[in-house]
Amino acid sequence: MSVPAGYVVGGGVAGIAAAFAMRDRGWSVELLEGHHHLGGRAFTLPDREGLPHADNGPHVILGCYQRFRELLRRIGSEDGFLQPRSLGLAYSDPGGRITRLQLPRGPAPVGFGLAILRLAALGLGERLRALRGLTGVLLGARQGESFEEWLSRRGQTDRVRDVLWDPMCRAIMNCEARHADARLFVATLRRAFLGSGAHAAMWIPRRGWSELIGTPARAALEEAGVKVRTGCRVVGLERDGERVTALRLADGQRLVVGVGEAVVLAVPWHGLAKLRGDDGSVARASGLQGSPIVSVYFESAAHPTIPLDPVVALVGRDGPYHFLCRRAGAPADRFAVLSGGGAGLVGLDPGSLVAAARDQLVAHFPAAEEVLRAAPTRLAKESRATIVADPGAATRRPAPGYLPGCANLAVCGDWTDVGLPSTLEGAAESGFRVVDALLA
Ligand SMILES: Cc1cc2nc3c(=O)[nH]c(=O)nc-3n(C[C@H](O)[C@H](O)[C@H](O)COP(=O)(O)OP(=O)(O)OC[C@H]3O[C@@H](n4cnc5c(N)ncnc54)[C@H](O)[C@@H]3O)c2cc1C
């Protein structure tokens, strides 16, 4: 009996998961990645003298990201994260007031309720409103509803939004509440808050993302028998009717796709049209909007007023940055500030982006002005870090699997529809799931 064979194009989280899953089902697999490293949108920037060591932006995951954690175990990286037993999040108001949300250990719904009742950043009436919002998570969201509409329906005030909901929405959906599909956001919250407290915990990386994903994934894939080719950009597909017959590579090579062989495109939504040509489903997917993440890494910026928590939400609507993040175990003087879904930042020049980060930090930690103004920085700008998973995006996201009219061409990636926003968990889930479609 001949062994089924396939190509996976794209070595991000989705492509890595797909390659493992295909190999596990007995396929012979070749993974083709355009860059010289695996890991896709989660990677470490090359070292540059005098600049802080940095990833392309801080990433965190939740304890409930089961499929992504499965992938981490597979490549031996799960211990590369600080794994708290429950959620802890610090808040900074402009002027320097720090408050904390800390879920006690135990069942998350009870713990979250207790943590909100103790949340000093909110007045008593606001805490009760927040609890009302929390019960709304149990009830779910309506189809086509934005998270902003959901918040209004649940009577959430501006302050409750600023402190509780907006930071969570930015962290999970990477966009403003008015753009977020409430169903996807609430679905993630339910995974996080309807189980043990550990599901809601934020896992903080101890190492750079290339060390966590790209490098170990390559070794584990090769050990599993996947042929990995990096620096190998696919620039076109040759087709015969519904079947892809060859892949054209940037260096002029042509890889024949034999009868019975499949191609899985694990590339971002905006890379699809270039490969696939014009097609209804591709045009729809290409219409998805990207959402940016801008990060500024600081070094030599320790000050007693700047908290050492791994994630601090910068509360308020004035500044363009939303979080201060630290790698677990990093020295006190190293951190990054991150703007998630701040579309207004994308057009700014690098100097203005860094200046805005310094100004906002000074507004939050005025006593640290001197060190913040003098600290060396490094900027990481990703214009299309994720898709904007708004209610309208639902019709543009195909499920992972064969595209209509394609006999041997399938897609996966964080932009495909697995009932989740565009996250590492969604990417891993789509990669594992696409294989079910290949077999069907
Ligand atoms: C700065 C930043 C911060 C983020 N923070 C978080 C976070 O905290 N938590 C979270 O869950 N998610 C976060 N995300 C989102 C997360 O990184 C993505 O959802 C996930 O990595 C997407 O994986 P993917 O495999 O679907 O796509 P990608 O990672 O984009 O992988 C696609 C791969 O295909 C390759 N490719 C494209 N075209 C071709 C071609 N023609 N030939 C060959 N190869 C090709 C690309 O080079 C790439 O390696 C963040 C993203 C960014 C950018």
Side-chain angles (χ1 to χ4, degrees):
M1 205 177 87
S2 71
V3 177
Y7 292 100
V8 176
V9 181
V13 165
I16 295 167
F20 274 126
M22 288 165 78
R23 194 72 199 106
D24 289 347
R25 310 275 183 100
W27 289 56
S28 160
V29 185
E30 200 164 331
L31 176 66
L32 313 174
E33 165 55 50
H35 285 119
H36 290 281
H37 56 83
L38 299 186
R41 269 171 272 159
F43 67 98
T44 305
L45 299 176
D47 277 353
R48 274 207 261 144
E49 218 171 306
L51 288 176
H53 302 282
D55 291 314
N56 65 325
H59 291 61
V60 296
I61 61 166
L62 295 174
C64 64
Y65 283 9
Q66 299 292 354
R67 299 296 261 171
F68 183 64
R69 287 176 51 191
E70 191 179 328
L71 188 67
L72 290 176
R73 280 194 292 280
R74 189 74 195 257
I75 63 178
S77 281
E78 213 183 14
D79 65 354
F81 290 80
L82 182 71
Q83 303 171 13
R85 302 280 287 275
S86 67
L87 176 69
L89 178 61
Y91 298 97
S92 164
D93 276 294
R97 182 181 181 223
I98 304 294
T99 43
R100 289 183 174 82
L101 176 86
Q102 182 61 58
L103 264 68
R105 288 183 193 175
V110 179
F112 199 21
L114 289 174
I116 286 178
L117 282 176
R118 292 184 197 135
L119 185 58
L122 297 177
L124 183 60
E126 288 159 340
R127 289 180 220 172
L128 295 175
R129 275 189 189 272
L131 276 183
R132 186 175 153 206
L134 187 62
T135 50
V137 172
L138 303 176
L139 300 173
R142 294 177 183 157
Q143 182 150 8
E145 185 176 38
S146 73
F147 188 52
E148 173 120 337
E149 289 161 348
W150 185 96
L151 289 168
S152 303
R153 201 154 59 76
R154 301 276 161 213
Q156 303 299 290
T157 59
D158 282 356
R159 179 69 186 167
V160 178
R161 285 186 48 165
D162 288 352
V163 172
L164 191 67
W165 300 114
D166 285 351
M168 280 200 266
C169 183
R170 296 267 182 194
I172 291 171
M173 304 294 289
N174 193 35
C175 64
E176 293 175 32
R178 68 195 161 106
H179 295 309
D181 183 335
R183 273 188 323 150
L184 297 184
F185 182 48
V186 169
T188 306
L189 289 185
R190 290 166 69 98
R191 286 179 181 215
F193 293 114
L194 287 186
S196 92
H199 285 179
M202 278 189 284
W203 284 28
I204 312 296
R206 299 178 197 277
R207 307 196 275 270
W209 279 87
S210 291
E211 222 183 302
L212 289 169
I213 308 277
T215 306
R218 179 171 196 145
L221 285 166
E222 287 177 342
E223 197 180 327
V226 174
K227 184 172 175 191
V228 179
R229 293 173 65 171
T230 48
C232 180
R233 178 154 295 276
V234 176
V235 291
L237 309 177
E238 290 177 18
R239 297 176 62 177
D240 179 7
E242 293 196 346
R243 222 178 65 75
V244 173
T245 52
L247 304 178
R248 278 186 280 109
L249 306 185
D251 65 3
Q253 277 188 69
R254 188 170 167 274
L255 300 177
V256 173
V257 180
V259 175
E261 293 185 351
V263 177
V264 175
L265 294 180
V267 302
W269 68 101
H270 50 86
L272 198 63
K274 285 181 220 151
L275 292 177
R276 178 71 178 83
D278 199 17
D279 165 288
S281 55
V282 172
R284 275 197 298 282
S286 306
L288 289 166
Q289 296 295 311
S291 189
I293 292 185
V294 175
S295 315
V296 180
Y297 286 82
F298 283 75
E299 205 165 76
S300 309
H303 191 274
T305 59
I306 304 178
L308 297 176
D309 304 65
V311 183
V312 181
L314 302 173
V315 178
R317 299 185 178 189
D318 298 338
Y321 291 88
H322 306 111
F323 297 99
L324 185 153
C325 309
R326 295 175 186 275
R327 206 183 269 177
D333 63 354
R334 277 192 197 173
F335 56 81
V337 286
L338 178 150
S339 168
L345 285 186
V346 170
L348 297 185
D349 63 81
S352 306
L353 292 171
V354 172
R358 286 194 207 276
D359 289 347
Q360 192 173 345
L361 286 176
V362 169
H364 279 259
F365 313 109
E369 174 157 15
E370 205 175 318
V371 288
L372 289 167
R373 297 272 179 225
T377 57
R378 187 167 190 183
L379 175 70
K381 187 166 116 180
E382 291 279 4
S383 308
R384 293 186 285 203
T386 63
I387 62 163
V388 179
D390 59 21
T395 56
R396 296 181 181 276
R397 300 176 77 185
Y402 287 119
L403 288 172
C406 298
N408 65 341
L409 181 67
V411 288
C412 64
D414 65 340
W415 57 275
T416 57
D417 182 8
V418 292
L420 293 173
S422 165
T423 55
L424 293 162
E425 175 71 355
E429 172 79 47
S430 77
F432 286 127
R433 224 192 253 187
V434 75
V435 180
D436 297 331
L438 294 186
L439 293 173

